[in-house]
Amino acid sequence: EPEVTQTPSHQVTQMGQEVILRCVPISNHLYFYWYRQILGQKVEFLVSFYNNEISEKSEIFDDQFSVERPDGSNFTLKIRSTKLEDSAMYFCASTWDGGGPQHFGDGTRLSIL
Amino acid sequence: RKEVEQDPGPFNVPEGATVAFNCTYSNSASQSFFWYRQDCRKEPKLLMSVYSSGNEDGRFTAQLNRASQYISLLIRDSKLSDSATYLCVGKEGSQGNLIFGKGTKLSVKP
């Protein structure tokens, strides 16, 4: 069964550094998403992406965040100047038609020191 | 504010028991609903979509009541492997983001 894959599985970064989280969505999917989950809290939407542009973003997705689809397979989340509160699990998800259920990757655990 | 509310549990049940989870949502514009399960420190995995007519998948039955803005999940003959956190999820619009509840933790004991 096709899967969403994410790398790295765990990223440790010093506060203030930039970090790039990578995702390979399912190959024929057209809609891509990033979510995050702070330890012990609920999963929160960050951003959705379709047709090479952001469709929607939450209030969490401020100017320190950006997304990119640099080629036909990767979908990246960049966090500039990381803060301690950015420590969380970051999940990438994709779907074929936008209306159906989203399929999640197994996440990147980001630890900011 | 768009919210999905769930009883956090935990629900501790013996194997073979029937257990029911409930969920309410605040945004009547939400068009689609799902139940996901999440194991500890893992990604959410789709369990099933939820339809107004009610739908069943093996031991799992989901129901949506739009008038009451209420969603339910029933698990029959629970197994040890059903132990997980069950996430009630709403979706906004045709390309919309998912809005997650905090989840209900289920522990099935031998």
Side-chain angles (χ1 to χ4, degrees):
Chain A
E1 184 175 327
E3 290 182 342
V4 176
T5 57
Q6 291 186 242
T7 54
S9 56
H10 188 195
Q11 174 78 46
V12 182
T13 300
Q14 291 288 331
M15 186 173 62
Q17 296 297 306
E18 176 182 284
V19 64
I20 297 176
L21 310 182
R22 303 182 190 279
C23 170
V24 179
I26 294 172
S27 63
N28 64 344
H29 283 187
L30 301 177
Y31 297 81
F32 315 117
Y33 308 84
W34 283 102
Y35 294 84
R36 79 170 186 192
Q37 186 175 31
I38 295 170
L39 186 63
Q41 298 188 23
K42 63 182 177 182
V43 177
E44 299 174 291
F45 167 74
L46 292 178
V47 66
S48 59
F49 192 87
Y50 170 72
N51 200 27
N52 284 319
E53 61 183 22
I54 291 174
S55 305
E56 189 175 352
K57 57 184 180 180
S58 72
E59 62 272 13
I60 302 169
F61 194 88
D62 61 22
D63 291 344
Q64 69 164 148
F65 291 92
S66 62
V67 290
E68 192 178 31
R69 186 153 165 83
D71 52 42
S73 60
N74 290 284
F75 179 51
T76 61
L77 175 69
K78 182 191 289 186
I79 310 175
R80 290 182 283 274
S81 189
T82 48
K83 307 184 184 76
L84 293 176
E85 55 264 36
D86 294 328
S87 295
M89 281 291 287
Y90 287 80
F91 295 109
C92 174
S94 70
T95 186
W96 156 245
D97 63 359
Q102 294 172 18
H103 299 267
F104 284 74
D106 55 8
T108 293
R109 184 154 61 102
L110 178 63
S111 299
I112 306 300
L113 305 179
Chain B
R1 186 177 172 83
K2 304 165 187 173
E3 294 281 356
V4 174
E5 300 289 341
Q6 294 183 252
D7 182 341
F11 283 55
N12 297 309
V13 302
E15 268 187 294
T18 295
V19 61
F21 303 137
N22 303 317
C23 163
T24 57
Y25 62 94
S26 60
N27 184 8
S28 58
S30 295
Q31 296 186 354
S32 306
F33 297 91
F34 310 92
W35 283 101
Y36 281 74
R37 69 169 277 168
Q38 186 175 32
D39 294 287
C40 189
R41 294 182 176 258
K42 299 286 189 181
E43 77 275 21
K45 290 187 177 177
L46 178 68
L47 183 65
M48 59 198 304
S49 302
V50 188
Y51 305 113
S52 297
S53 53
N55 49 304
E56 188 174 308
D57 183 2
R59 298 181 292 110
F60 299 86
T61 300
Q63 187 77 50
L64 165 63
N65 184 322
R66 286 194 185 275
S68 303
Q69 297 186 192
Y70 173 93
I71 301 155
S72 64
L73 176 68
L74 184 76
I75 305 175
R76 289 181 298 279
D77 187 24
S78 51
K79 313 289 185 193
L80 297 177
S81 57
D82 293 334
S83 296
T85 297
Y86 288 81
L87 308 176
C88 180
V89 183
K91 184 164 185 166
E92 305 287 305
S94 61
Q95 302 178 30
N97 52 287
L98 299 181
I99 299 171
F100 285 80
K102 289 186 177 179
T104 299
K105 187 173 181 180
L106 172 66
S107 288
V108 182
K109 308 291 187 184

